[in-house]
Amino acid sequence: MKVLLDIRENKALFLMELLNSFSFVKVQPITNEKALLLREIKESVDNLNLVKQGKIAARPAKELLNEI
């Protein structure tokens, strides 16, 4: 299982040391930019699933391109 945690800076070192002490946990820090990208991708996939379920309406690609 993979988990993305958002930890306050003043507690990060303690938690990283704690997690590294477990042999069954692999810790791999990521940058704030990568975390933001992952969050945005997840939001996009969630929105796509809502469109497929008919819970929100999709916009035509032509309409999006005309905004640029």
Side-chain angles (χ1 to χ4, degrees), residues 16-28:
M16 293 296 284
E17 288 178 7
L18 178 64
L19 291 173
N20 279 320
S21 70
F22 297 115
S23 63
F24 54 88
V25 175
K26 180 181 175 188
V27 178
Q28 182 179 0

Side-chain angles (χ1 to χ4, degrees), residues 4-25:
L4 180 62
L5 303 171
D6 188 8
I7 306 164
R8 286 187 299 182
E9 197 67 34
N10 64 340
K11 300 293 183 180
L13 183 59
F14 165 75
L15 188 58
M16 293 296 284
E17 288 178 7
L18 178 64
L19 291 173
N20 279 320
S21 70
F22 297 115
S23 63
F24 54 88
V25 175

Side-chain angles (χ1 to χ4, degrees), residues 46-64:
D46 290 344
N47 286 339
L48 180 60
N49 287 333
L50 289 173
V51 168
K52 286 182 176 181
Q53 294 170 8
K55 294 183 179 178
I56 62 173
R59 293 175 52 190
K62 194 170 195 174
E63 184 181 316
L64 291 172

